[in-house]
């Protein structure tokens, strides 16, 4: 039996302009513009809507349209001509530097004309698809030019100005606080949409529905029944020629501070009163406050840095680099629900396969009731697996008798995936997040206190990794399961990672 087909996305009711900084950059070409085109294809963009793209190389309107069409066809091979024509008719260019005041004067004049033409009522959604170093200069200049104004969130009947800010939101705790102070000097928190594309993935969104919408799971979702939880985000590729970027960023900034900790919060947070933005994000912030700080020797015993063989030969990487491309963390949550339950997080590049999933390992049966100790030893504890990518779905490992006259026990998986169950591919995360920002729905975007609490948690790891010596980082084979030290961390606890290599 299959589930009902998904509803088509609902078109945002409010007219608006999208101002896209970095329109000719890699992120816009690979993710943002293809997502907008998919929304155009589904007639999900607002009826009264247009896009202004800003970059040094934008050119005029015709040049920008030609560049974007060539770029997005690499990612949307089946793009229909009529879809592109509808989209291109609402696409305009402003060519200039993001740090030049004249760019913003030109943008303000262009917006005034286009807003009158498209009747968008002065509503503006700004997307900063730029390097993080440009966030503050862009915000300051937009504020001075009157393109965004503090407090314009549309709640009092006026027009709105919202800003989507990409990661990384800061480089460490101190820089994140400084950026946050600057952002809040220009915008109210209600106007800020800090994007984490993992929160837009269907399986990640489904965590709360699965937990709180099924009466059979919530009573078991605690320290009395759960032995431990594993969260894995594995990449099969290396740094792909981005050695300079990765040397500066590293795996903790790239993956742990945002993606992994956000997933952890959804897995472990308490039930919100409802799914409103403040309720959900408040419960996540409460969870982050409950994370046991990694202090002193904990950073040595609960954190494993790794680096794949060959990383130091990548372009832009130092020959003696100690930048981790892998990390494993044993985290604890000090609250009533989870006291004593370890959460094992791991992420890295150059691993056996691309995979992102959550594994909830339940406790073993308390005693043997089958007459033979040998039979009970074969019974594996139940494991609930929520697959985020690439094959989105959920499975549950349960014990079952093997057919035959002997008393043999095996494990079987009860599973479904989204594609088969709903007869459709899961939508791209950016499509959902863009629509939510257009609607002013902030549930899937990180709030200020969440971001700073996450930086506070990982800061001791960053401090330790900054001082690593070449022989203190565990090496692992490219295409393998990660460093042996990560395996040993669980082995000491009598546990093991679910295999990346089947």
């Amino acid at each position: 039996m299959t589930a009902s087909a998904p509803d088509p996305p609902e078109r945002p009711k409010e007219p608006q302009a999208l101002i896209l900084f970095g329109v000719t950059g890699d992120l816009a070409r690979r993710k943002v513009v293809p997502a907008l085109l998919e929304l155009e294809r589904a007639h999900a963009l607002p009826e009264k809507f247009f896009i202004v793209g800003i970059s040094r190389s934008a050119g005029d309107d015709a040049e920008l349209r030609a560049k974007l069409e060539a770029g997005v066809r690499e990612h949307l091979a089946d793009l229909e001509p009529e879809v592109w024509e509808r989209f291109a008719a609402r696409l305009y260019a402003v060519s200039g530097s993001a740090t030049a005041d004249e760019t913003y004067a030109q943008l303000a004049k262009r917006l005034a004309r286009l807003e009158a033409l498209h009747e968008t009522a002065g509503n503006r959604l700004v997307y900063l698809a730029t390097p993080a170093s440009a966030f503050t200069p862009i915000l300051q200049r937009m504020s001075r030019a009157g393109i965004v104004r503090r407090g314009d969130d549309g709640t009092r009947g006026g027009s709105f100005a919202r800003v989507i800010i990409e990661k990384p939101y800061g480089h460490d705790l101190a820089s994140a606080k400084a950026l946050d102070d600057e952002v809040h000097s220009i915008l109210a928190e209600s106007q800020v949409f800090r994007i984490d594309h993992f929160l837009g993935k269907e399986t990640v969104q489904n965590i709360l529905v699965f937990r709180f919408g099924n009466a059979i799971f919530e009573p078991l979702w605690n320290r009395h029944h759960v032995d431990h939880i594993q969260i894995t985000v594995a990449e099969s590729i290396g740094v792909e020629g981005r050695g300079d970027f990765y040397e500066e960023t590293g795996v903790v900034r790239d993956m742990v501070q945002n993606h992994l900790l956000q997933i952890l919060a959804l897995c472990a947070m308490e039930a919100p009163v409802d799914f409103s933005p403040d309720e959900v994000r408040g419960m996540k912030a409460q969870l982050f406050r409950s994370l046991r700080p990694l202090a002193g020797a904990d950073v040595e015993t609960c954190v494993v840095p790794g680096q794949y063989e060959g990383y130091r030969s990548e372009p832009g990487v130092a020959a003696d680099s100690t930048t981790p491309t892998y990390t494993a963390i044993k985290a604890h949550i000090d609250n009533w629900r989870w006291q004593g339950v370890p959460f094992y997080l791991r992420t890295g590049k150059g691993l056996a396969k691309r995979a992102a999933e959550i594994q909830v390992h339940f406790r073993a049966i308390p005693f043997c009731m089958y007459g033979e100790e040998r039979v009970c030893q074969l019974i594996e504890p139940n494991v609930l697996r929520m697959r985020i990518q690439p094959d989105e779905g959920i499975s549950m490992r349960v014990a079952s008798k093997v057919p035959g006259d002997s008393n043999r026990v095996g494990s079987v998986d009860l599973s479904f995936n989204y594609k088969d169950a709903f007869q459709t591919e899961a939508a791209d995360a950016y499509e959902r997040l863009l629509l939510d920002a257009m609607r002013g729905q902030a549930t899937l975007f990180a709030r200020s206190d969440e971001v700073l609490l996450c930086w506070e948690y990982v800061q001791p790891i960053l401090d330790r990794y900054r001082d690593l010596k070449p022989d203190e980082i565990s090496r692992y084979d490219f295409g393998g399961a990660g460093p042996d030290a990560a395996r040993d961390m669980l082995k000491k606890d009598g546990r093991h990672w679910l295999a990346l290599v089947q």
Side-chain angles (χ1 to χ4, degrees):
M1 179 178 177
T2 59
S4 57
D7 296 327
E10 183 180 349
R11 187 192 293 263
K13 296 179 174 61
E14 294 174 299
Q16 56 197 276
L18 174 63
I19 304 166
L20 178 56
F21 283 88
V23 67
T24 56
D26 182 66
L27 176 64
R29 186 180 71 256
R30 289 188 302 107
K31 295 294 185 181
V32 181
V33 176
L36 289 168
L37 277 162
E38 290 291 1
L39 294 175
E40 179 68 70
R41 176 184 283 170
H43 299 280
L45 293 174
E47 287 187 36
K48 296 179 179 180
F49 177 79
F50 67 92
I51 302 166
V52 176
I54 302 100
S55 81
R56 288 179 183 271
S57 58
D60 60 21
D61 295 346
E63 289 172 320
L64 179 61
R65 291 166 183 170
K67 286 176 183 177
L68 290 187
E69 182 178 14
V72 298
R73 286 196 182 278
E74 299 174 13
H75 307 281
L76 296 176
D78 60 343
L79 179 63
E80 301 94 331
E82 61 272 19
V83 173
W84 172 255
E85 288 169 9
R86 290 202 314 265
F87 181 81
R90 302 197 280 183
L91 175 63
Y92 304 91
V94 169
S95 184
S97 168
T99 59
D101 289 342
E102 55 266 28
T103 301
Y104 297 84
Q106 181 185 355
L107 174 60
K109 291 178 182 177
R110 194 93 204 263
L111 281 172
R113 292 194 298 269
L114 291 171
E115 285 172 339
L117 175 65
H118 289 275
E119 300 178 322
T120 54
N123 293 323
R124 296 167 180 175
L125 175 63
V126 181
Y127 197 129
L128 304 186
T130 66
S133 59
F135 294 166
T136 296
I138 291 173
L139 289 171
Q140 291 171 337
R141 286 167 173 79
M142 281 199 301
S143 178
R144 288 201 297 264
I147 294 167
V148 297
R149 294 184 302 179
R150 181 179 174 81
D152 284 357
D153 59 7
T155 59
R156 294 181 295 277
S159 60
F160 65 74
R162 302 172 186 140
V163 180
I164 300 174
I165 302 179
E166 271 284 350
K167 74 176 185 76
Y169 194 84
H171 190 73
D172 54 16
L173 179 58
S175 62
K177 286 181 175 177
L179 174 60
D180 213 45
D181 289 344
E182 187 66 43
V183 167
H184 286 146
S185 73
I186 298 168
L187 301 167
E189 176 63 23
S190 58
Q191 295 174 270
V192 184
F193 289 70
R194 299 171 191 83
I195 193 168
D196 181 339
H197 73 272
F198 259 58
L199 293 180
K201 292 181 179 291
E202 284 288 353
T203 313
V204 174
Q205 295 173 48
N206 195 38
I207 294 170
L208 295 185
V209 175
F210 188 80
R211 283 185 58 190
F212 301 122
N214 294 292
I216 62 173
F217 287 112
E218 177 54 23
L220 308 179
W221 213 266
N222 55 57
R223 61 190 175 87
H224 299 296
H225 301 283
V226 175
D227 178 78
H228 71 281
I229 292 178
Q230 297 180 24
I231 300 173
T232 298
V233 178
E235 297 180 272
S236 58
I237 59 173
V239 296
E240 301 285 282
R242 301 170 72 210
D244 290 333
F245 164 80
Y246 210 80
E247 281 287 274
E248 181 69 19
T249 305
V251 68
V252 174
R253 294 183 179 92
D254 192 36
M255 299 297 294
V256 179
Q257 183 273 334
N258 36 70
H259 303 331
L260 264 72
L261 290 182
Q262 286 289 335
I263 294 171
L264 169 64
L266 294 175
C267 289
M269 61 184 261
E270 296 300 321
V273 173
D274 54 41
F275 273 15
S276 64
D278 280 345
E279 276 296 323
V280 173
R281 298 193 297 179
M283 290 296 101
K284 286 197 292 176
Q286 181 187 81
L287 187 281
F288 292 136
R289 292 187 188 96
S290 301
L291 279 170
R292 184 184 301 171
L294 291 166
D298 290 341
V299 183
E300 302 285 344
T301 58
C302 297
V303 181
V304 174
Q307 187 185 88
Y308 66 76
E309 294 287 355
Y311 174 73
R312 294 172 185 170
S313 300
E314 297 274 9
V317 175
D320 60 349
S321 172
T322 58
T323 301
T325 60
Y326 174 102
T327 197
I329 301 169
K330 179 165 73 170
H332 287 92
I333 298 169
D334 290 332
N335 65 15
W336 191 274
R337 181 186 291 265
W338 295 115
Q339 191 66 34
V341 177
F343 286 72
Y344 298 104
L345 318 179
R346 62 174 168 171
T347 182
K349 290 185 174 293
L351 295 172
K353 64 178 180 180
R354 174 177 175 260
E357 65 177 69
I358 303 148
Q359 301 134 11
V360 181
H361 294 246
F362 291 92
R363 294 189 179 278
I365 58 173
F367 71 100
C368 183
M369 58 182 286
Y370 298 101
E372 297 181 47
E373 186 66 30
R374 175 184 61 83
V375 174
C376 292
Q377 290 175 352
L378 296 175
I379 298 177
E380 298 179 284
N382 303 119
V383 178
L384 174 68
R385 302 179 69 169
M386 289 178 272
R387 301 184 304 277
I388 299 169
Q389 65 184 28
D391 180 25
E392 294 91 345
I394 298 174
S395 66
M396 182 80 181
R397 186 173 69 192
V398 299
S400 176
K401 182 183 178 300
V402 176
D405 58 1
S406 62
N407 197 17
R408 287 197 300 131
V409 176
S411 293
V412 295
D413 281 341
L414 311 177
S415 65
F416 89 95
N417 64 55
Y418 279 92
K419 184 177 180 180
D420 292 341
F422 296 101
Q423 299 296 300
T424 186
E425 298 276 1
D428 180 80
Y430 279 86
E431 296 173 37
R432 170 63 188 272
L433 294 172
L434 281 164
L435 278 179
D436 276 4
M438 291 175 189
R439 297 174 182 132
Q441 170 56 259
T443 303
L444 299 180
F445 295 84
R447 201 170 64 187
S448 172
D449 54 346
E450 294 180 62
V451 175
L452 296 181
L453 286 164
C454 290
W455 276 119
E456 187 175 322
Y457 179 74
V458 303
Q459 188 61 52
I461 306 175
L462 296 175
D463 293 342
R464 169 62 181 143
Y465 283 6
R466 184 185 59 234
D467 299 327
L468 282 175
K469 296 179 175 60
D471 61 349
E472 291 178 321
I473 187 164
S474 301
R475 311 282 283 172
Y476 62 95
D477 291 336
F478 191 96
D484 292 342
R487 178 200 62 200
D488 295 341
M489 182 172 69
L490 269 69
K491 189 176 180 181
K492 290 175 185 175
D493 296 343
R495 302 182 178 98
H496 63 274
W497 295 108
L498 250 62
L500 280 176
V501 183
Q502 300 296 336

